[in-house]
Amino acid sequence: MNFQGKNILVTGASSGIGRQIAVDLAHGGARLFLLGRDYSKLEETRSLCNSTESITLIAKDLNDIDFIDFIEKHIDSPLDGVVLNAGKVKINPVAFINRNDIDDIFDTNVKSNMLLTQFLLRKRKLNKNSSVVFVSSIATRKPTVGNSVYNASKSALNGFAHSLALEVAVKGIRVNTVLPGFVETNILVRARTEDEIKKHLFDYPLGRFGTPSDISNLVCFLLSDDASWITGAQIPIDGGFSMK
């Protein structure tokens, strides 16, 4: 897809889905602002892109109290696209969750995304007809055991994105949410045992888990002009998992 002349911010760009989205957007000619906690991993992402000169790296934890001020110093141009992909997974049954778990997951998955979006709107960092894509989870439609806090956080994110889409439509800004099933990334593999992963595979009618490229293809479409009449959508991309 052609993203020549477009400025796009991608959070959680250090690895996995965010890294693949960054690479695909760079190959399409976008100028990128890549946000992640680990600068060295962001450099690895940049090295996979076809143009290092048009990529700004922003190494910052979204849970840091000063992250908005830090980001403002690095985004020097209005954006045509935003991918809010940064997130955290922690598997824990309800009987074992605590306040720290809840705060940690909600701070990362919900609050930071809300505050970053608010900043971009207040500072007029989003161009007219720009596109915002939230990376949520199919767990919000089909929960699994031990996923209560994560599921609740992503459900809150879905609600925020839905309301945001209505508020900014008058400016021509589109807001959509993708709901991935199990994607083969280091974060999700670490969250499950090998036996759990093998058992979970039987729940996927297409017979495989997703790849970062699967998710990136959908996200890039939603960022592109080809999706100019799509907003407020919550799109499952889960190999048929939610059908069963």
Side-chain angles (χ1 to χ4, degrees):
M1 294 184 186
N2 184 7
F3 293 101
Q4 291 285 343
K6 294 198 173 186
N7 300 317
I8 301 176
L9 168 67
V10 180
T11 72
S14 300
S15 61
I17 294 171
R19 172 173 287 180
Q20 188 63 54
I21 292 169
V23 170
D24 291 344
L25 288 171
H27 290 173
R31 181 192 178 198
L32 297 177
F33 299 87
L34 303 183
L35 177 62
R37 290 180 296 175
D38 189 322
Y39 191 85
S40 63
K41 289 184 178 180
L42 287 175
E43 286 187 317
E44 291 175 9
T45 300
R46 181 164 62 181
S47 71
L48 297 172
C49 299
N50 63 352
S51 175
T52 58
E53 294 181 0
S54 60
I55 299 174
T56 300
L57 305 184
I58 309 173
K60 191 65 174 176
D61 191 328
L62 292 179
N63 287 337
D64 290 349
I65 194 169
D66 65 336
F67 88 91
I68 291 294
D69 292 336
F70 187 85
I71 290 172
E72 184 173 11
K73 297 175 183 177
H74 291 80
I75 299 179
D76 56 6
S77 303
L79 302 171
D80 302 288
V82 180
V83 181
L84 295 159
N85 167 72
K88 183 172 290 187
V89 179
K90 187 170 184 179
I91 305 301
N92 223 354
V94 172
F96 297 101
I97 63 175
N98 56 53
R99 183 177 293 275
N100 288 337
D101 290 333
I102 297 170
D103 289 343
D104 186 36
I105 296 297
F106 269 77
D107 284 349
T108 302
N109 293 357
V110 186
K111 294 179 185 178
S112 64
N113 286 310
M114 295 173 75
L115 292 172
L116 178 53
T117 304
Q118 181 195 51
F119 155 74
L120 295 174
L121 289 171
R122 279 187 171 180
K123 297 295 183 177
R124 298 183 179 178
K125 293 288 187 179
L126 292 176
N127 281 326
K128 187 175 181 180
N129 300 322
S130 59
S131 173
V132 179
V133 181
F134 290 85
V135 179
S136 182
S137 173
I138 199 62
T140 60
R141 296 195 177 179
K142 188 174 180 181
T144 53
V145 174
N147 242 358
S148 59
V149 178
Y150 175 76
N151 182 12
S153 71
K154 289 296 190 177
S155 295
L157 186 66
N158 291 355
F160 174 73
H162 221 171
S163 294
L164 176 66
L166 190 59
E167 288 191 20
V168 300
V170 68
K171 300 177 181 179
I173 299 173
R174 297 180 291 110
V175 181
N176 294 290
T177 308
V178 299
L179 311 177
F182 196 105
V183 177
E184 293 179 337
T185 65
N186 290 334
I187 292 177
L188 287 178
V189 170
R190 286 197 303 265
R192 299 282 185 180
T193 66
E194 186 175 345
D195 287 342
E196 287 174 332
I197 291 173
K198 288 180 179 178
K199 182 179 179 182
H200 194 41
L201 182 59
F202 287 104
D203 294 326
Y204 284 76
L206 288 182
R208 69 173 178 87
F209 296 130
T211 67
S213 289
D214 291 324
I215 311 307
S216 178
N217 289 337
L218 175 56
V219 170
C220 288
F221 168 70
L222 291 171
L223 290 170
S224 75
D225 294 337
D226 292 336
S228 63
W229 210 49
I230 302 175
T231 195
Q234 297 181 1
I235 305 174
I237 177 167
D238 63 359
F241 171 66
S242 57
M243 293 193 301
K244 295 183 71 175

